[in-house]
Amino acid sequence: MSTKKSKKFNSFDGIVFSTNPDHVYEAPEEAVKETLANKHQDLRVQLDKKQRGGKAVTLITGFVGHDDDLNLLGKMLKTKCGVGGTVKDGEILVQGDFRQKIIEILLKEGYKVKRIGG
């Protein structure tokens, strides 16, 4: 027996049956995230060592917009720093301590940036 619910059931938000023969179910539209302009973004840059085996990563949070735009920003930062990293859960992780360099890059690109932590 599978515990996984079908997507068809979930798409009706709990409506299972209607006695109205003329009822047409209208699914709510999903909100499309608009990517804010660079000058309206409020990004946070911090050093993170938690659950990484003692290795430091630079964590960039606070981006508002499409995942594709976040991936492009992450790729640009990783390329300019010359290191690896990842983009997931709305955050950019850059391997190593590149806080100052990333802040300078983001300011040059027109983002509002705040340094979090020491």
Side-chain angles (χ1 to χ4, degrees), residues 7-76:
K7 288 186 179 184
K8 186 175 181 181
F9 177 76
N10 288 338
S11 67
F12 290 111
D13 292 330
I15 295 177
V16 179
F17 182 79
S18 175
T19 58
N20 183 355
D22 299 325
H23 175 73
V24 177
Y25 179 76
E26 295 177 13
E29 294 182 23
E30 295 202 15
V32 176
K33 264 190 190 177
E34 291 294 322
T35 301
L36 296 177
N38 292 0
K39 63 182 178 180
H40 296 295
Q41 296 281 358
D42 189 20
L43 302 180
R44 315 279 180 171
V45 178
Q46 64 188 21
L47 187 66
D48 189 21
K49 295 182 184 178
K50 295 178 183 170
Q51 300 176 354
R52 304 188 199 289
K55 302 205 186 254
V57 296
T58 304
L59 182 66
I60 299 99
T61 58
F63 185 85
V64 177
H66 293 286
D67 289 340
D68 294 339
D69 296 328
L70 181 64
N71 287 331
L72 287 173
L73 178 61
K75 184 173 182 175
M76 185 260 302

Side-chain angles (χ1 to χ4, degrees), residues 60-98:
I60 299 99
T61 58
F63 185 85
V64 177
H66 293 286
D67 289 340
D68 294 339
D69 296 328
L70 181 64
N71 287 331
L72 287 173
L73 178 61
K75 184 173 182 175
M76 185 260 302
L77 290 173
K78 293 184 294 183
T79 302
K80 289 194 177 189
C81 291
V83 294
T86 187
V87 177
K88 63 180 178 183
D89 301 330
E91 300 176 338
I92 302 171
L93 292 142
V94 177
Q95 293 174 352
D97 184 0
F98 288 94

